[in-house]
Amino acid sequence: MTAWRRTAERHGPYVARAVAEFRSWPALAVSDTRRGPKFAVHGTEILRLSGADEVQVRLTAPAIDRLAPYLRECGQVQACPDRAWVAVQVDAEPDLDLLFALTSVAIKEHVA
C-alpha cells in the first residue's frame, strides 16, 4: 500500500524571496500552515500566497480606491472578488518592489 502525502504548494523563486523577506518584517506576524505561511498585522491576515507566482494583499477598499488610478495602469495587479484584496503577479525583480510597496501600504492601513 502506498501512502500519499500532501505536498506543499510550490512557489516561484520571486514569491519564495518575498516570503523570506516578509519573515523578517517586525510588523508582520507569521504563522505556518499546511497551505503555506500566512502573514498578519494585529490578527488580521494581510498576505496570502494564492499561486506559484501570485500573492494576494489585503489593502482595504479605501486604500484600493485611493490607489485605483495607479493600480489600473499596472498589469501585475488584479482586483479580487473581495474588494479589500488585490492579487499581485510576482514573476520578475520589479514585481518584488511593487509587492513590498503594496504590503507596506497594507500594514499602514491595518496599524492606523
Side-chain angles (χ1 to χ4, degrees):
M1 180 173 187
T2 303
W4 294 94
R5 287 179 27 166
R6 177 179 242 181
T7 57
E9 187 174 334
R10 295 186 185 267
H11 299 289
Y14 295 102
V15 170
R17 283 177 52 194
V19 167
E21 175 71 21
F22 288 138
R23 286 182 181 279
S24 71
W25 288 25
L28 293 175
V30 183
S31 59
D32 290 306
T33 69
R34 287 180 142 176
R35 293 180 165 227
K38 292 191 178 190
F39 298 89
V41 172
H42 295 302
T44 301
E45 184 182 17
I46 66 162
L47 288 173
R48 53 184 164 202
L49 310 179
S50 55
D53 294 319
E54 185 178 275
V55 178
Q56 291 182 349
V57 182
R58 183 183 200 142
L59 290 174
T60 72
I64 291 171
D65 290 342
R66 282 194 313 274
L67 296 172
Y70 308 104
L71 297 177
R72 275 193 295 271
E73 297 291 322
C74 181
Q76 296 304 102
V77 179
Q78 301 296 318
C80 290
D82 180 339
R83 270 193 27 85
W85 293 82
V86 295
V88 182
Q89 192 68 28
V90 186
D91 52 13
E93 189 77 30
D95 304 335
L96 280 173
D97 293 333
L98 175 63
L99 177 62
F100 294 149
L102 290 175
T103 302
S104 293
V105 170
I107 290 169
K108 288 179 184 176
E109 286 294 307
H110 289 90
V111 169

